[in-house]
Structures are given as structure tokens and as C-alpha cells.
Amino acid sequence: TKGPLGGAIPASSTRRRPAWGLPQMPPVAVPKAKSLEDFMHGMQHGLHGGPALPSLRGSLGSIGRITDINRTGTCKDDLDKHCSGVAPGNGRLAHCLHQTNKAAKARKEKMQTTAACTTEVANFFHAAAKNEGPASVLPGRSPTVASALRNMSRTKLFNIDPVEGFQAACRDDAKSLCPQAHIGTPLMLCLKFKKSQLSEPCRNRVFQVQKHESEDWMMDIPLKTACEEDILRIPACKRRGPAGSHKACLQAHRTELSEKCRAGLFGREQEDAEDIRLNVDLFTACKAEVSAVCSDKTFGEARILRCLWEHTVNPRQGTFSEACKTKVRATVGHSLADYRLDFRVRSRCKTDIDRLCAEERDRVDKLSISELFGSHQAEHQNPLGGGFEAGASGEVLRCLKSKMGELSGTSGCKSEIMHVVKVQAVQPKADPMLARHCKSDIARYCPAVKQEQLHLCLRKSLGKLEESCKKVEILQGSLEAKAVTLKPLLLNACKSAVSMFCKDVPVGEAQVLECLHDHMEEVTFPARCKDYVEHDLEANNHDYRLKYGISEHCKADMSTLCKDEMVEGGGKVLMCLRDNVAKVKDTACKSSVIRFARQGASNIMLAPKVYNACITDVQTFCADVPPGAGRVHACLMEHKEKLSASCARAEFKTQVVMGTDIRTDPKAMAACGPAIKKLCADVQMGNGRVWKCLQDAKPGAEEMSEACAAVVKSHTRLQHSEFHMNPGMSAFCEPEAKKLCSVEMEKANRKDFLSHGSVITCLLENLEKVENPACKASLRRKAGQRVSEVQNDPAAKSACEGDVQKFCQEAKQHGGAGNVQMCLQAKLAQLSMPCRSKQKFYMAMASKDIRTNPEMAKACAAAQKRFCEEVGKGEGRMIYCLLDHMHHPEMEASCREKLLAETEKRAKSISFNPGVMKNCKKDLEAFKSQGLCTTHFPFTGDDGKELDCLTTNIDKVTEPMCNKSLTDVLRLQSADIRAKPGMQAACKQDIDTLCPGVSPGGARLQSCLRNHLKEIKDPECKVMVNEVIRHDKSSFKVNFMVRTHCKKERQTFCREATPAQSQVMECLALHVNETGFGVDCQKALDGSHVKSTLLKDKVAVQLENLQRYIMKNRGVIEKWGGVLLGCVVAVVALLAFGISYWVLQQRFKKVGYTVEVPSAMD
């Protein structure tokens, strides 16, 4: 790039970036300057990007003429007094008087020179600055610029030193850095432009010149030339004021300035941006603040202005005046109107601008002031910066912001653009792009909003903004989201919170912000910080690009899970990720999505899509409920069946997410955090696993607080009310549900809280038809939860409300759901039909499979391993095995208690005996049709009647599996009186009289009643005792006392006998008197009436067979008469007795058999 004189100069000094701080002018065709004469001609006529300088004819003609003020003129007395030893020439006298007054001013004393002398000194410097002198110096001569330059001494840079010692300090720098600009104003402009390259002495002198120019506008030749007419035209600016007042006035009346003056002021502001002392109006207003809060900062490179701005956001008590704050905000805000007005950006980002934003820079640099900032009629300056609604400013800064990730860290550019983001976060209108593109949206949605809240206001309406405004907001918001330091107002409000919760958290990558989000629901979290954080989230949760963690870490998951939503927009992407959180693969992404979901679950306003869908419902049902802590969601759930369709669907999805991952439920995490650490530390988060762990915890466990138990209970009920609220089960069972429960699935798929758990109920009713093992296992858990608390079934809860009110109010008030359950089951016969039906269904389920009976499973965990380890759990096998060992000495008391309740329950109805229910339907129907099920026992409804019918007629059962199931029932009845339907009630008085103090288990009561059989008064009791005796005599497998006390004898004497057809019992009876036969076994046989009645029963059988023969041959009998009948009967009886006795003796006379291990049924 060639300079004005054809020599090489830095690219940044070409016209697209006005050299040496000059303002830009409209592009014009300028012939290439080939010499200093051409350059000076261009400067004189304004052809190099700035206003024309004053005519150089007079100034050049005066070179060498004006060297100092008149020693004997107006200032004689003042010179004699203050500068008597100073030699005149090169402005030394003028400088002496100037320094005298300056020192007095610093001491806050009055001026030391007379008013007339002060004016003469000022006029001298003004003339010297312009190199002007009396027109008579060179009378009659009109030298050209070239001849004047040729005649000038090349050793003098200026006719008069601008500041004392300037030429001596800067001569070498001028020769080396500005060889083409030898003298005067052009040289000064060059030295200013290359200030950073100057030697320290020269740089100090140049700064003093700049300071003089900033204090006195007439010393600033480019500004004076551009704005003299405007100053004279504007009354407020015409008046003389303190230092820097004229420039401040021009800035205050910016909209009234001419195009030429605006350009000049733009150039002056570029120069002032380096050091606050060059902005005299600002520096004067903030001197106290500079000393108070920025004393550790050195002047230059805009450090003091940066420091002051930081403290306007977080001022120390009493250190910041409102005047200073206003001026600092206005200055900083205006500096962001164009990259050239921000010294730190233009100096540190030069390389990045050339590399990344050259197109934007070239376009902007070609614009005139009106094109850049808009015409003065369209420009409405905001006192806090910005207001450039017209024009095209801000493009380079926008480009740098949009390419933040590519900026150089070593040059400091990235740090400067982050500061730009920070300033624009506090002063949104300092962003010209926002001022232009969001003007109508601001008027529409945020007309009365304070500037500091403007970004939040616009983002809350992000979906409604014009596309250009939305892009501006998303760019700014996405950058703010990277670090808490880019949200200065929030950081200021949250300093104590950061210190309390996040002091060791790194600042970058939004980590402190995320830390605040994670702790904001804690009791000790500062309220002011929480308010700021919630408002920030409410605004930024409208678009995934405003969420650093999600936008940074979720790119791959978004492309996989949310392709369609990515096309539609940001808010839908957030909801898509939330609803698919279980499928998110990236760990960091999942963490961010969970955090977002938790925020919306805590405060519905932080879930904009949900809130918008539910705003009417919230106003209708929850108007008085304050947001936060999940209160609004809880309120909506209390009215879930009344919600509008859109709100119900949105709330349903929210509840599903909370059920999938407990971390998204802030209320649950607050209540159950300690319990999770103690009970579920090894459980992987997600897919409902931690909820399952808490649900499976022992009721009343000391690790689980009451608050946590209440949360878990509420969640459990919700899961039972909706199929899709169960992440594991819904995945495993959906195909089964579609096949078995299509009608119910149609309701559940609406996801509107109106299916009332019907799919789960249907699947439980068809559990035996379910084929998927995982589905079946999930359903068993659900069955177990409903068994423990039937009110987990919404239909059962509704069906039993009246019964609870009628029968179990006291249990409800004092014992909770478990006692209510026990109360309802105890009153089973009195319940309403719908409630009884539900209760019986779940009572039956509890008896079918120990996995559906969690309380028994927990109480009998050790017993299962000890007695039934090889027994299957399904079809009631495990529970029956435990019942069969209920009276074993090693059985735990807690397990025995549960088994006793099961025993009593099974005596109430055939429904609670799964084997009988499954295997005896055919025989039961046959017995009913034959009239065998009539009974004189006072059963209520079907309680025990059908079971009693089957056991009474077991010898008539045709189905082998039914016989086996009934034998199992009889075994229990032999061991415990409470297992036989109605027996305990029928025998109560006789027990009290004949067997006081005898415990019922272990066949003790049965034995006692047998021993007092003749004394039993209640006929029903006696019939039942006899029936038990009959069954006990018929089978070794049934008889509890015999199978318990005769194990050794069976192995010794009867190991070849099979349990069927009473063979073992017969064998034992025949060997009862033999050596080695135990006393306990003898007593057991005696108590069962086996020995005394066995042979009689055999004769009775033979007689019965004879009777059948007679009935069959009735004609013969009638012919021979009654005489023959008696003879035949006598003979047959004797033969039968003899034969039977001989057969039994032959069959059981041997000993020494091998051991036969009885089966579980023995």
C-alpha cells in the first residue's frame, strides 16, 4: 500500500482506516500524491478523508517570524514576575506563563496572570498551532507550498514547539517514522498515528499535545476546522466554558451537527479513546472515582475507562457519583458504535479483523459518516450509548463476536470481544445491530423496560421477534452463556452465592453458571441471586443456542434425536432433548439436558413451552401459587383431570421425564438426596432405576425420611395411574399391551392423565398370557405395589373411598395406607361389591406369587433360602413351601407372622388358593351340579364354602392336579386350625373351655380338640374336628403330627410304602408295638385315631363292596330270602378280616429298606 507521497506506510493507515485519527469522508477520486506538495494540497482541500485544513499560505509565510509572545507587551508584568529568567524564543515565554497558571490551578488557586495576558497566551498558542502569523510578514509574496518548504529549515519540525521540548524529543522519531511528513500538522498526525512506536520522551510530548488539544478545541486544528461554524451556530456551544467543554457540547448536540463536524468529531473520539485524560469532560467528572477505585491502574490503552465501567456495574458503597456513572456508560456505549472508537479492539484485533472480517471492514471503511451512522435526523442518541437505529455501524464488531471461537488468544482480541459482550449485556443499545434490527420489537414487546433488562425481555419473546432481531439476540445470548463473567449484573448479585457454593469452580465454559443453577433450590441460597438466576433462565430457556452446555455438547445427539426440531427452531430442540433424555449418549450433553429439565420442573416459567401451553390453566387453578420448588406443577397435577388438552399433554411429558431420571425432579432430589446416597449409591441413574430403588426400600427404613417417603409414595401412585409413566415397563410391555389391552392402550396413548391405570390393570388381569419375561417381571412389581397398597390402583381407590370412610376411618388417621389396607381386608365380607372385588383381586395376586407380595418376600427372605431354595417362585409354589414350614422351630417370627395372615386369608375363599383355583374348576363345577356343595356351616357369601366343598369331597375328585392341590390345603388344615374355613370361629367356645392357653399352630389345638372330642359341645366344631381326623387318617402326607414325628419310623418300617391310599399310615399302625418304634410317633398315631380304627375301616370297606354286589344282584337275594343274607354277611366278614390281616402281615413284616426322601408335598 502506498502512502500520500508514494512511500510505503502501514496498511492500517490507508483510506479505509483513516490515518492518524482523522474522520472518514465520502469516497472521492483522489489522484495519487507524488510529493509532499501534493499531500499538503490534498490536506488543504480535504481530499484525504478529512476536512480541509486552513490555508497554508499564511502559516508557511510566517515560519521563522512568530517565535514567542511579546516581552514588552500585555504580559510584561506577568513575565517579569514569573518568567524573568526565561529567554524568549521558540515559545519559551508562552510556555512559562502557561505552566505557571497550570500549577496554580493544580493548587486550586486563582490564575496567576492577568486576564489580558491569559488571552494573549491562548491566542499565541492558537496561532502557533496553525502556524499563522501577521500577513505583513512577507508583503507582496505568494510563495507556493513547494517553495515555502524548500526555504524552511529542515531542522525545525514546528515553527513553535507545541509543548516545551517537543522538537528535541521527537526529531529522531520524525525522521525515522514520518520521513514524508516533515513539518506542522501533517507531522503531528503521523506521530500520533505511530504513537506506540515512538520513543518514551517523544511519546510523552505527543500526549501533552493531545491533552492540550482535548482541553482547548482551538488547538485541535482538524476539529476546529471541521466544527468552527457549528460551534458558532449552536448557542450552548458558543459560550466559553471550562477545559474540554466545547467538545463535550458538540457531543451533546451530535444530532444537530453538520456532516463535516460529525466527521471531525468522529476522528477526535478515535484519538481520545486511548486515554481517559483526553476526554476532559469525562475525566473531570470522574476524578474522584479514578482515585478511589482505579488508582492501581496506569493511564493509557483505555485501562482507566475499562476499570471505571467495571465499577459502574458493581460500585463500592459511596464511591460512584451518578454523574460519573452516566458519563462512563455513555462513553463506553458510544465506543461500541464502531470498532475504531474502541482503542483496545482496534489495536488488539487488527490481525483478526484482517483475517476474519476483512469484508465487513472494507465495506464499513468506505462509508461516509451519514452512511455509517445514519443522517443526523435519523440518529437518536441514547445517553447510555447506542441509539444508531439508522446506518450500518457495528458490522465489524458483530463479525468478531460471531467468530469468537476463531479469535486469537495471544493478541488479546478474544478478551476484548468478551468485554464487548459484557458491556452489551448491561447496555444492549450499545449494540448498533440491536438498535437497528430490534427497534420495532422493542417498541412492541418491551416499550417500558429498563435497558439493563432489555435482553431478557426480548428473549422471553424470542419466538415472536423478527428474524433479524432474533439473530442479534441469539448471538449475544449464546456468548453471554459461555461464562458468568459475561453476565455482570447476575455476577454482581450472586457474589455471595458463588463464594458459598462455587468458589472452587473454574470460571470458563459456563461452569459457575451451572453450579449456581444446581444449587439455586437450596435453602441457604441467597434470595437476590436466585431471583436474578431465575429471570436469566426464564429468558434463555427459549432456545438451545442460549444454553452453552447444550449448544456445545449436544450437537451429535441433536442431529440424531431432533432432526425435525432442528429445522423448526431452538425451543423445540430443547424440549426434544428433554423428552429423549434417556436416549442421549454424550455424558456432558445428558448432564446439561437434565439440568434444563430440572429447571423447568422446579419453576414452570423456566420451561417456556410448558408454561405457554398451560398459562390459562395456571391462571385458572393455580393463580395464587408462587412459581418455584415444583409448586405450580404440583398444583396442576392436583387438577390433572381438568386440564386443557394442550396443558395435559405438556404436563404429562414433564412428569414422564421426572419419572425417567430422578435428577430432573428437584423436589425428589431435595427430599431424597440423603436416602439415595445411602440406599442407592450403586444404582445407575436414568431409566427410572433410582425411583425403583427407593420404592423397593424397606418401609420405614431409617435412611429414608418422611418427606422422601411421601415423595416416593406420590410418584408410585402416579406411575400406577398411567402406563407411559413407567419407563421400563412401558418399553417392555407395549407390544403385549397392544395385543391384550388394545382399548385401554388407545386411552393411554392420549397421554392426558385420563387412562386411570387401566392398561396396567388389564395386563395384571392377563398376566398369565404375557410372554415377555421382562414385561412379566415389571408387572409383578406393579402387582406387589398394589398388593401392599390397593389404592395405588386408581380404580380401586375410587371404588373403596366410601368403604374407607365407613369402616376404616380410624386406621386412615392413625395407621396410614398399610393399616387401611389391613382394615379393608378384615372387613372383606362387608365391603361394597366394587371395593370387595378389587380387594379380592389383589389379595389373590398376593397369594399366587411371592414376588407380588413384597412384604412377605422381605420378611421371609431368610426362610426362602433355608427351606425353599430349590422351589420355584411362581404359581404359589414358594408361598406354599413357606406355609408348609411355618411351624418349624427355625422359622423367623416376622415371617411366621406373615404366613399366619396368609393362612387365615386362604381359609376365607377359594380365590386365595392359587393351586385349587387353577386345577379344580372342573371338579368344583361337577360337585355344584351334583348338589355336593351344600353345607350347614354359616359361611358368608362364597367365603370358604367352595373350598370346604372340595376338601370334603376330595375322594371324589377326578383331576389328579386338583387332588394334589387339595392335599396341600389339607396339610395346612392338619397343622393349624386357622387354615380350615370357619373352624376357628366354630370352635372358639370349646377351645376356651377345653384348651385354654394352647397355641393354635403346630397342630396343637387340633390335638387338644381330638383328645376332648367327646366333650366338644358345639356340633359344628365336632363335625369339623372329625373331618380333620378323617383326612389325617387317610394320608401320611396330610397328617401334620405323623409326618412331623414319624419320619424315622417311616424310613425304618415303611420305606417301600407309597404315601397314596394310606399305605404309610397302615404300615405305621401295624408296627406301632415293635421294638424301635418311637414314643412321639406312637402318640401322633394315637392322636390321629389311626390304630384303633384302621381295621374297622377295612371291614367297612368290604361291607360296602358287598352291599354294592347285593344291589347289583337284587333278584337272587329276593328269591332266597333273608336267611341266606345273614349267613353270607357273616362269612364274608370273617373271610375279609382274615385275608386282610394276613396280607398286611406279609406286606410289612420286613425291615432294613433303603431310605426314601419324601417330596416337598410329604
Side-chain angles (χ1 to χ4, degrees):
T1 303
K2 299 295 182 180
L5 302 181
I9 64 172
S12 55
S13 66
T14 60
R15 196 196 163 281
R16 67 184 177 219
R17 277 149 293 160
W20 314 308
L22 282 178
Q24 289 182 295
M25 298 298 291
V28 294
V30 181
K32 183 177 180 181
K34 297 180 181 179
S35 65
L36 182 59
E37 291 94 327
D38 289 342
F39 174 65
M40 297 300 289
H41 176 75
M43 292 296 292
Q44 183 176 356
H45 295 283
L47 300 181
H48 295 295
L53 295 176
S55 171
L56 298 180
R57 179 184 299 275
S59 62
L60 290 173
S62 66
I63 292 175
R65 181 74 176 94
I66 299 178
T67 61
D68 217 330
I69 61 173
N70 192 340
R71 187 75 174 76
T72 60
T74 306
C75 292
K76 180 180 182 303
D77 293 339
D78 292 307
L79 287 169
D80 291 342
K81 182 177 179 181
H82 302 290
C83 307
S84 58
V86 178
N90 199 28
R92 283 185 289 272
L93 296 177
H95 282 301
C96 175
L97 292 175
H98 177 73
Q99 291 299 326
T100 298
N101 283 330
K102 185 176 181 181
K105 183 177 180 182
R107 297 191 302 269
K108 297 185 178 180
E109 298 175 358
K110 66 179 182 178
M111 301 290 285
Q112 300 295 300
T113 62
T114 64
C117 180
T118 302
T119 301
E120 183 173 338
V121 172
N123 289 337
F124 172 83
F125 280 118
H126 295 164
K130 297 190 296 181
N131 281 318
E132 289 181 349
S136 61
V137 173
L138 297 172
R141 292 183 61 187
S142 301
T144 65
V145 173
S147 61
L149 289 171
R150 284 192 297 270
N151 292 332
M152 180 180 177
S153 170
R154 296 307 177 102
T155 62
K156 292 199 72 173
L157 306 178
F158 293 90
N159 188 34
I160 303 296
D161 267 354
V163 294
E164 193 171 5
F166 184 92
Q167 299 195 68
C170 293
R171 182 173 286 109
D172 292 340
D173 293 280
K175 288 181 180 179
S176 62
L177 298 174
C178 303
Q180 309 300 328
H182 287 70
I183 61 171
T185 299
L187 177 59
M188 184 61 72
L189 293 173
C190 175
L191 291 174
K192 288 179 182 178
F193 177 72
K194 299 186 178 182
K195 187 176 176 182
S196 63
Q197 303 175 49
L198 301 179
S199 63
E200 185 70 20
C202 183
R203 185 161 58 249
N204 290 337
R205 297 306 191 283
V206 170
F207 175 75
Q208 291 177 37
V209 171
Q210 290 177 306
K211 195 166 185 302
H212 289 171
E213 292 173 350
S214 68
E215 293 171 347
D216 188 342
W217 72 282
M218 295 185 70
M219 298 287 289
D220 186 346
I221 301 305
L223 183 64
K224 179 179 182 297
T225 303
C227 295
E228 188 169 13
E229 293 179 1
D230 295 85
I231 289 176
L232 295 174
R233 177 171 52 82
I234 300 172
C237 301
K238 188 175 181 180
R239 293 190 295 270
R240 187 176 182 86
S245 60
H246 287 90
K247 185 178 66 176
C249 181
L250 291 174
Q251 291 172 321
H253 292 81
R254 193 187 302 271
T255 60
E256 303 172 41
L257 302 181
S258 64
E259 179 82 358
K260 181 173 66 173
C261 184
R262 289 175 71 198
L265 187 60
F266 180 57
R268 179 72 250 174
E269 288 170 337
Q270 292 180 53
E271 196 169 324
D272 291 349
E274 180 185 2
D275 197 307
I276 191 174
R277 292 171 294 181
L278 302 180
N279 190 333
V280 180
D281 182 56
L282 173 62
F283 186 55
T284 301
C286 294
K287 271 190 176 179
E289 286 78 4
V290 172
S291 298
V293 299
C294 302
S295 58
D296 59 332
K297 302 289 189 299
T298 57
F299 288 99
E301 296 192 350
R303 283 184 286 262
I304 302 298
L305 182 59
R306 169 76 56 91
C307 170
L308 289 173
W309 187 89
E310 296 284 356
H311 284 86
T312 65
V313 180
N314 181 28
R316 296 178 190 170
Q317 188 69 27
T319 58
F320 243 87
S321 66
E322 192 60 34
C324 177
K325 178 179 178 179
T326 300
K327 288 182 182 294
V328 168
R329 291 278 183 94
T331 301
V332 173
H334 181 67
S335 73
L336 301 186
D338 185 88
Y339 76 101
R340 290 162 290 189
L341 293 174
D342 188 319
F343 173 82
R344 298 175 71 90
V345 170
R346 76 170 185 249
S347 59
R348 287 165 171 75
C349 294
K350 178 184 177 303
T351 302
D352 286 311
I353 291 173
D354 291 343
R355 181 170 58 91
L356 301 171
C357 303
E359 181 180 346
E360 289 80 2
R361 177 203 61 200
D362 292 343
R363 182 166 59 250
V364 167
D365 285 359
K366 292 176 182 177
L367 301 176
S368 68
I369 286 294
S370 294
E371 292 170 328
L372 186 62
F373 298 120
S375 64
H376 65 269
Q377 292 89 353
E379 184 182 342
H380 303 288
Q381 180 70 7
N382 186 290
L384 297 183
F388 297 98
E389 288 91 352
S393 59
E395 284 197 29
V396 175
L397 285 176
R398 180 204 59 76
C399 172
L400 291 171
K401 285 169 63 176
S402 67
K403 297 180 180 180
M404 176 81 81
E406 303 174 54
L407 298 182
S408 169
T410 56
S411 67
C413 183
K414 179 175 287 188
S415 174
E416 296 310 317
I417 298 306
M418 288 176 69
H419 181 72
V420 170
V421 173
K422 186 191 299 187
V423 172
Q424 292 177 345
V426 178
Q427 298 174 233
K429 290 185 179 179
D431 182 355
M433 306 299 288
L434 181 141
R436 283 198 298 276
H437 295 295
C438 295
K439 181 179 179 180
S440 59
D441 287 315
I442 292 171
R444 186 178 300 114
Y445 303 114
C446 312
V449 174
K450 293 180 180 180
Q451 186 175 198
E452 292 179 347
Q453 302 299 318
L454 187 56
H455 281 308
L456 299 183
C457 176
L458 288 172
R459 289 171 201 167
K460 288 176 183 179
S461 301
L462 194 66
K464 306 174 188 175
L465 301 183
E466 294 179 5
E467 195 60 33
S468 59
C469 179
K470 184 188 293 185
K471 288 180 180 179
V472 172
E473 267 307 324
I474 288 176
L475 174 59
Q476 174 69 19
S478 65
L479 295 175
E480 287 179 21
K482 290 178 180 291
V484 70
T485 53
L486 300 181
K487 298 176 182 283
L489 298 175
L490 185 147
L491 179 59
N492 181 41
C494 292
K495 280 190 174 180
S496 61
V498 172
S499 178
M500 290 170 64
F501 300 102
C502 315
K503 62 181 179 180
D504 297 325
V505 177
V507 173
E509 296 187 349
Q511 292 174 85
V512 174
L513 280 171
E514 292 173 349
C515 172
L516 293 173
H517 298 163
D518 292 343
H519 291 89
M520 62 187 288
E521 291 298 332
E522 296 190 21
V523 177
T524 57
F525 197 86
R528 182 166 177 258
C529 177
K530 183 176 181 179
D531 185 59
Y532 266 83
V533 172
E534 285 186 335
H535 278 86
D536 186 68
L537 287 172
E538 184 182 347
N540 293 316
N541 282 2
H542 283 77
D543 195 291
Y544 76 95
R545 289 163 288 191
L546 303 177
K547 311 285 292 180
Y548 174 79
I550 291 177
S551 61
E552 185 72 13
H553 303 301
C554 295
K555 295 182 178 68
D557 286 298
M558 284 190 288
S559 63
T560 302
L561 301 172
C562 308
K563 290 181 180 179
D564 295 337
E565 289 77 7
M566 287 285 288
V567 175
E568 295 183 49
K572 291 187 176 180
V573 174
L574 284 174
M575 299 307 290
C576 169
L577 287 171
R578 186 202 70 165
D579 296 343
N580 291 280
V581 63
K583 301 177 183 177
V584 172
K585 294 181 179 179
D586 185 274
T587 303
C589 175
K590 178 167 284 191
S591 177
S592 297
V593 174
I594 287 171
R595 185 175 290 109
F596 165 71
R598 183 170 62 247
Q599 292 161 5
S602 175
N603 186 339
I604 193 172
M605 298 184 75
L606 306 187
K609 293 291 183 183
V610 179
Y611 181 65
N612 290 338
C614 291
I615 188 167
T616 302
D617 301 83
V618 171
Q619 292 170 351
T620 301
F621 302 114
C622 313
D624 298 330
V625 178
R631 287 183 290 266
V632 175
H633 287 295
C635 172
L636 291 174
M637 290 301 292
E638 289 175 5
H639 300 86
K640 63 180 182 292
E641 295 183 10
K642 302 176 185 177
L643 299 180
S644 63
S646 61
C647 180
R649 287 192 293 268
E651 186 62 30
F652 192 99
K653 289 181 179 179
T654 299
Q655 297 297 327
V656 168
V657 171
M658 288 193 285
T660 300
D661 196 314
I662 197 170
R663 292 172 293 182
T664 65
D665 188 334
K667 184 177 180 181
M669 289 301 293
C672 298
I676 292 172
K677 290 180 180 178
K678 293 178 181 178
L679 300 173
C680 312
D682 298 330
V683 177
Q684 183 182 357
M685 290 286 184
N687 206 34
R689 284 181 285 264
V690 175
W691 281 115
K692 180 179 180 293
C693 170
L694 293 173
Q695 289 169 341
D696 292 345
K698 183 178 179 181
E702 61 181 36
E703 296 88 351
M704 185 178 292
S705 65
E706 291 184 8
C708 178
V711 168
V712 173
K713 177 179 178 180
S714 176
H715 180 73
T716 301
R717 288 196 174 182
L718 177 61
Q719 285 187 314
H720 280 272
S721 70
E722 291 293 337
F723 175 73
H724 291 291
M725 290 289 174
N726 301 271
M729 187 180 74
S730 59
F732 299 139
C733 296
E734 188 164 1
E736 303 279 1
K738 288 179 179 178
K739 179 175 63 176
L740 300 171
C741 312
S742 57
V743 175
E744 291 80 3
M745 271 298 288
E746 186 177 348
K747 293 180 182 178
N749 286 338
R750 296 172 190 160
K751 299 181 180 180
D752 57 3
F753 299 109
L754 297 178
S755 72
H756 303 297
S758 57
V759 174
I760 298 175
T761 301
C762 172
L763 287 171
L764 290 176
E765 291 171 348
N766 292 276
L767 186 58
E768 294 181 359
K769 300 178 183 178
V770 172
E771 298 175 357
N772 186 301
C775 174
K776 187 167 283 190
S778 297
L779 289 171
R780 289 194 193 102
R781 277 194 78 252
K782 283 287 175 272
Q785 291 168 354
R786 291 188 176 187
V787 163
S788 298
E789 187 177 346
V790 174
Q791 289 188 329
N792 280 331
D793 179 354
K797 182 176 182 294
S798 176
C800 293
E801 281 179 345
D803 296 274
V804 171
Q805 188 71 22
K806 184 175 181 181
F807 300 113
C808 305
Q809 194 61 26
E810 184 176 350
K812 181 179 180 181
Q813 292 173 354
H814 300 100
N819 281 10
V820 170
Q821 185 81 343
M822 292 172 62
C823 171
L824 289 173
Q825 292 181 4
K827 303 282 187 180
L828 189 64
Q830 300 169 255
L831 301 181
S832 64
M833 187 57 68
C835 182
R836 192 194 319 174
S837 175
K838 280 291 183 182
Q839 290 291 333
K840 287 184 68 175
F841 175 74
Y842 291 113
M843 290 170 72
M845 289 207 74
S847 297
K848 283 183 180 179
D849 194 321
I850 197 167
R851 292 169 291 188
T852 65
N853 195 332
E855 293 185 7
M856 181 186 291
K858 290 177 182 178
C860 298
Q864 291 182 65
K865 293 181 179 179
R866 184 181 298 115
F867 302 114
C868 312
E869 191 168 12
E870 297 181 0
V871 177
K873 296 181 183 294
E875 297 182 357
R877 289 187 291 269
M878 177 60 72
I879 296 179
Y880 177 76
C881 175
L882 292 170
L883 289 169
D884 204 36
H885 292 82
M886 181 171 69
H887 304 293
H888 194 283
E890 296 181 13
M891 178 64 71
E892 292 81 4
S894 58
C895 179
R896 184 179 287 117
E897 181 182 353
K898 297 297 179 185
L899 294 172
L900 173 59
E902 178 68 19
T903 298
E904 293 177 335
K905 182 180 77 172
R906 292 189 175 215
K908 292 180 179 180
S909 174
I910 190 176
S911 303
F912 309 141
N913 293 266
V916 178
M917 279 292 291
K918 179 180 180 181
N919 300 317
C920 296
K921 291 180 181 179
K922 183 177 179 181
D923 288 297
L924 180 60
E925 290 300 320
F927 294 164
K928 286 181 178 180
S929 64
Q930 296 169 24
L932 298 177
C933 291
T934 57
T935 178
H936 57 280
F937 297 140
F939 297 126
T940 303
D942 66 345
D943 286 0
K945 180 173 65 175
E946 293 176 334
L947 183 62
D948 183 71
C949 173
L950 287 168
T951 55
T952 301
N953 297 283
I954 187 172
D955 55 331
K956 298 181 176 66
V957 168
T958 59
E959 295 291 333
M961 290 305 296
C962 177
N963 189 288
K964 180 181 179 302
S965 298
L966 291 173
T967 299
D968 292 342
V969 172
L970 293 174
R971 282 166 66 89
L972 300 180
Q973 293 180 359
S974 174
D976 198 318
I977 190 175
R978 294 165 291 193
K980 184 166 178 60
M983 187 172 183
Q984 187 175 19
C987 296
K988 185 177 184 308
Q989 292 183 356
D990 291 296
I991 291 172
D992 294 341
T993 303
L994 304 174
C995 308
V998 178
S999 58
R1004 286 180 286 271
L1005 264 183
Q1006 296 282 26
S1007 298
C1008 177
L1009 290 172
R1010 290 173 186 175
N1011 293 335
H1012 296 83
L1013 183 61
K1014 295 180 179 179
E1015 304 168 52
I1016 294 176
K1017 294 181 179 180
D1018 190 290
E1020 295 173 2
C1021 177
K1022 184 173 288 189
V1023 169
M1024 291 184 177
V1025 172
N1026 279 319
E1027 185 173 326
V1028 173
I1029 293 173
R1030 178 168 70 88
H1031 293 310
D1032 275 358
K1033 289 190 302 181
S1034 67
S1035 173
F1036 176 83
K1037 293 173 61 177
V1038 169
N1039 194 311
F1040 177 82
M1041 294 298 290
V1042 173
R1043 60 187 162 91
T1044 301
H1045 297 291
C1046 297
K1047 292 180 180 178
K1048 178 182 176 182
E1049 287 75 9
R1050 184 195 172 189
Q1051 292 178 3
T1052 303
F1053 300 103
C1054 310
R1055 56 184 119 166
E1056 288 188 352
T1058 59
Q1061 298 177 354
S1062 69
Q1063 290 182 15
V1064 176
M1065 298 296 288
E1066 294 171 358
C1067 173
L1068 291 172
L1070 290 173
H1071 293 83
V1072 69
N1073 294 319
E1074 295 188 17
T1075 303
F1077 205 94
V1079 176
D1080 290 339
C1081 183
Q1082 289 180 4
K1083 291 180 180 179
L1085 290 170
D1086 290 341
S1088 300
H1089 298 246
V1090 175
K1091 183 177 179 181
S1092 61
T1093 61
L1094 185 59
L1095 295 180
K1096 294 180 183 178
D1097 289 344
K1098 284 293 181 181
V1099 172
V1101 171
Q1102 297 298 332
L1103 289 175
E1104 185 178 349
N1105 291 335
L1106 178 61
Q1107 186 176 3
R1108 290 197 189 99
Y1109 175 80
I1110 292 171
M1111 293 300 293
K1112 185 176 180 181
N1113 299 280
R1114 188 171 181 177
V1116 177
I1117 298 300
E1118 289 176 351
K1119 181 178 179 180
W1120 291 99
V1123 177
L1124 290 177
L1125 179 60
C1127 296
V1128 172
V1129 169
V1131 172
V1132 170
L1134 289 173
L1135 288 173
F1137 178 82
I1139 293 170
S1140 296
Y1141 183 80
W1142 182 82
V1143 169
L1144 288 173
Q1145 286 285 1
Q1146 292 299 316
R1147 183 179 298 174
F1148 302 119
K1149 68 181 179 178
K1150 294 181 181 180
V1151 296
Y1153 299 115
T1154 58
V1155 177
E1156 177 187 337
V1157 179
S1159 69
M1161 299 306 170
D1162 292 339

